[in-house]
């Protein structure tokens, strides 16, 4: 049977630790490097221009009027699996004009099956659907989500695609060896937008483990349902990625026949017959866009006495997640000022040889630093605040047809390519890339931290503080700001290699007065990403507070100025710090001690609690070889 994936790989970091000779042999076996397609048509499309008349837009207006909202945009925290899943299902069922989905990973499992069936049904009733997916996790069973592209009224594009076979994750990693630097950089954004009137932003991907439906372990996550004009800013962000040269239509990367062959091959290997599952669907249900091999295999491979156990498992799951849409009419929105913080698509270098046709200019968004200044409502007393610039229109210029040298190897205005002695100006693509590195979502959050006066409460499942993040913490502590960070423990971290980058900075952070907390449960993996400042500003999004989010991946977040939402989110975090996290401290001799959560009946520990000895030894060996910026 093909198991559902608990999580997608965060990066292709393991390749860095393959012996060089072995890596070279693998590339040789493949017969050279696979290439991305050229001359790819990318028809430009944009979000729904006016939302007037749609049911969701009308509902937003009515809810705001009923609440006598001072501000035009409303927000609802989605902290549990039922609210997170039900809100997405509700948006799909309510959509009348458009659905726009942007994700780092969409897994082919039970929760996605139900949700994407509804998306296909929406397309069949006339809703225009656009799905933008990062391409790294579309191998093996998860490649089947690309079937959406072959459904009427659905367009699907893959961002920053990986050339080569999709048979397995291993072969995808091998294919990435020839372009390791670019493949390391991923589109990590997550958006789910209906009719440009309501949208969801946050940390969740789509899959069982993100909706409390996985049997081996689930993620603790947080989203925000947004309503009103702020959604148009989310849609502008989506459009800038959708119409970017880094986004490839699925049909340019794989055919439906090839997807069929992949599914047949997987079914043959696993000895799975999908027919019973598919035929059990009601006649009016849309054909599944994802494989149902897992469910079929479970039924086929189970011993005769397993029926009761399977029924009991399903009953247990239903208590957590009943697959019903959220009642949007009863949702209690908090109306508040907010801005969207979003990285530019150019943060990931484009394959300059793959684009041949100009793309229409796309509306831009304010830089993250400017957006933070606009919503914070105060100036930094220690330094001048950045000026607030109006939203600008940025031309998306195609890269030159001839490859250029790496722009990170030389200063602006020069080229590493041989020249006749005359300095060569950087190309439009190079300038776009350089500009995108100067101001990121994490940079915006660091500017926010510079304005803190009392308290910073940070949740980051993958926490690898680089120099800028460490400096921001030190400056905050120098102002007597309380800084608390909740992250994963080694035992709860689904990407334990990332723990190395955090562990090496632990003592330094504790010495400067930063309070550190680590999740203690192995079956509940922290995945929420948020920052709360002074109990009045709340940032929720896809970003981790690490160098990968700061320097490599693209990210998006909502920054909301609301004491109400900040207190609600803060209260739930305070409970987690007290009841579900180890409190890491320095002992009298400068060593580490993990204080057990209250009421847990656990004992304090002096080494990574809950983690096996082999895992701890492995990380000790790999730690010196793993640079922070790749974790």
């Amino acid at each position: 049977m093909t198991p559902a994936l608990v999580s997608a790989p965060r990066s292709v970091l393991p390749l860095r630790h393959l012996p060089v000779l072995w890596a070279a042999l693998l590339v040789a076996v493949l017969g050279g490097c696979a290439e991305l397609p050229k001359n790819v048509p990318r028809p430009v499309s944009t979000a729904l221009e006016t939302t007037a008349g749609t049911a969701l837009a009308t509902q937003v207006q009515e809810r705001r009027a009923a609440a006598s909202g001072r501000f035009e945009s409303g927000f609802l925290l989605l902290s549990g699996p039922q609210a997170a899943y039900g809100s997405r299902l509700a948006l799909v069922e309510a959509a009348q004009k458009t659905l726009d989905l942007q994700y780092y990973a969409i897994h082919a499992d039970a929760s996605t099956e139900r949700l994407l069936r509804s998306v296909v049904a929406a397309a069949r009733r006339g809703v225009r659907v656009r799905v933008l997916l990062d391409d790294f996790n579309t191998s093996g069973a998860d490649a089947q989500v690309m079937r959406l592209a072959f459904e009427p009224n659905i367009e699907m594009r893959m961002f920053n695609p990986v050339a080569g076979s999709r048979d397995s994750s291993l072969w995808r990693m091998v294919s990435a060896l020839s372009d390791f630097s670019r493949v390391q950089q991923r589109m990590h954004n997550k958006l789910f937008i209906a009719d440009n009137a309501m949208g969801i932003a946050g940390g969740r991907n789509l899959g069982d483990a993100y909706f409390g439906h996985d049997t081996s372990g689930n993620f603790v996550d947080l989203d925000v349902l947004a309503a009103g004009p702020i959604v148009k800013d989310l849609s502008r962000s989506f459009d800038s990625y959708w119409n970017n040269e880094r986004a490839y239509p699925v049909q340019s990367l794989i055919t439906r026949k090839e997807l069929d062959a992949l599914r047949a091959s997987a079914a043959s290997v696993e000895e799975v017959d999908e027919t019973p599952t598919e035929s059990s669907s009601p006649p009016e249900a849309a054909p599944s866009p994802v494989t149902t091999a897992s469910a079929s295999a479970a039924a086929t491979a189970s011993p005769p006495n397993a029926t009761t156990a399977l029924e009991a498992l399903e009953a247990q799951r239903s208590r957590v997640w009943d697959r019903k849409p959220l009642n949007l009419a009863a949702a209690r929105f908090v109306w508040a000022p907010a801005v969207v913080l979003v990285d530019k698509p150019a943060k990931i270098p484009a394959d300059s040889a793959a684009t041949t046709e100009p793309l229409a200019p796309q509306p831009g968004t304010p830089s993250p630093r400017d957006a933070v200044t606009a919503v914070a409502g105060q100036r930094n007393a220690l330094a001048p605040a950045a000026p607030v610039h109006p939203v600008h229109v940025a031309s998306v210029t195609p890269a030159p047809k001839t490859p250029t040298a790496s722009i990170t190897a030389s200063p602006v205005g020069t080229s590493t390519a041989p020249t006749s002695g005359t300095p060569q100006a950087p190309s439009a693509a190079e300038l776009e890339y350089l500009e995108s590195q100067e101001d990121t979502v994490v940079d915006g959050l660091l500017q926010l931290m510079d304005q803190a006066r009392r308290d910073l409460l940070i949740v980051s499942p993958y926490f690898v503080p680089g120099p800028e993040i460490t400096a921001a913490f030190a400056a905050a502590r120098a102002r007597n700001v309380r800084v608390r960070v909740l992250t994963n423990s080694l035992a709860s971290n689904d990407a334990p290699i990332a723990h190395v980058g955090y562990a090496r900075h632990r003592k330094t952070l504790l010495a400067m007065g930063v309070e550190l907390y680590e999740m203690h449960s192995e079956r509940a993996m922290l995945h929420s990403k948020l920052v709360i400042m002074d109990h009045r500003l709340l940032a929720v999004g896809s970003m981790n507070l690490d160098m990968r989010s700061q320097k490599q991946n693209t990210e998006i977040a909502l920054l909301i100025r609301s004491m109400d939402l900040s207190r609600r989110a803060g209260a739930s975090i305070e409970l987690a710090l007290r009841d579900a996290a180890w409190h890491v401290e320095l002992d009298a001799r400068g060593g580490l001690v993990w204080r057990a959560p209250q009421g847990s009946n656990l004992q304090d520990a002096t080494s990574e609690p809950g983690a096996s000895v082999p895992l701890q030894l492995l990380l000790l060996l790999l730690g010196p070889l793993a640079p922070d910026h790749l974790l």
Side-chain angles (χ1 to χ4, degrees), residues 127-380:
V127 176
R128 184 201 69 182
V129 178
R130 297 184 295 175
V131 181
L132 182 61
L133 179 62
D134 183 88
D135 191 45
F136 189 71
N137 298 294
T138 54
S139 59
D142 289 336
Q144 297 303 319
V145 300
M146 300 171 77
R147 288 181 175 275
L148 283 171
F150 301 94
E151 290 286 339
N153 220 26
I154 297 180
E155 293 179 80
M156 188 174 189
R157 296 183 181 180
M158 314 305 292
F159 200 87
N160 193 21
V162 179
S165 172
R166 298 178 184 274
D167 291 341
S168 70
S169 297
L170 173 62
W171 287 114
R172 295 224 88 192
M173 290 181 180
V174 172
S175 299
L177 280 171
S178 62
D179 198 6
F180 182 82
S181 179
R182 181 183 65 83
V183 174
Q184 271 286 315
Q185 299 182 263
R186 308 313 314 171
M187 182 191 75
H188 201 235
N189 311 39
K190 286 104 175 178
L191 290 175
F192 201 114
I193 305 171
D195 287 346
N196 206 10
M198 287 191 188
I200 298 170
R204 280 184 178 87
N205 295 298
L206 300 185
D208 285 349
Y210 299 94
F211 298 113
H213 200 53
D214 196 272
T215 57
S216 58
N218 290 285
F219 290 113
V220 177
D221 223 323
L222 180 69
D223 293 316
V224 175
L225 173 62
I230 193 68
V231 179
K232 295 181 179 180
D233 293 332
L234 296 175
S235 290
R236 276 194 287 271
S237 165
F238 180 94
D239 286 345
S240 70
Y241 280 79
W242 178 262
N243 293 311
N244 191 272
E245 62 193 290
R246 297 155 185 82
Y248 287 65
V250 164
Q251 289 85 347
S252 70
L253 301 171
I254 195 169
T255 66
R256 185 164 189 167
K257 184 177 180 180
E258 289 170 326
L259 284 172
D260 289 341
L262 282 176
R263 184 162 67 172
S265 175
S268 175
V269 171
E270 302 294 343
E271 296 183 356
V272 172
D273 179 9
E274 294 189 58
T275 304
T277 301
E278 293 182 347
S279 63
S280 64
S281 301
E284 66 275 12
S288 169
V290 298
T291 180
T292 54
S294 297
S296 299
T300 303
S302 300
N305 61 350
T307 302
T308 302
L310 288 174
E311 290 176 350
L313 175 61
E314 187 59 32
Q316 185 273 332
R317 284 174 163 175
S318 67
R319 287 194 292 271
V320 178
W321 174 61
D322 62 11
R323 309 188 188 191
K324 294 180 180 178
L326 181 73
N327 184 357
L328 295 175
R332 301 185 65 179
F333 289 97
V334 173
W335 304 89
V339 292
V340 174
L341 310 182
V342 60
D343 289 333
K344 296 179 180 179
K347 191 177 180 182
I348 298 176
D351 184 343
S352 59
T355 299
T356 59
E357 62 179 49
L359 299 175
Q362 299 301 310
T365 56
S367 75
R369 290 180 183 272
D370 292 348
V372 165
T373 302
V375 80
Q378 64 179 35
R379 288 184 175 269
N380 188 348

Side-chain angles (χ1 to χ4, degrees), residues 520 579 582 596-604:
H520 87 272
D579 300 334
W582 301 95
Q598 293 185 21
S600 65
N601 295 321
L602 297 170
Q603 299 297 316
D604 291 352

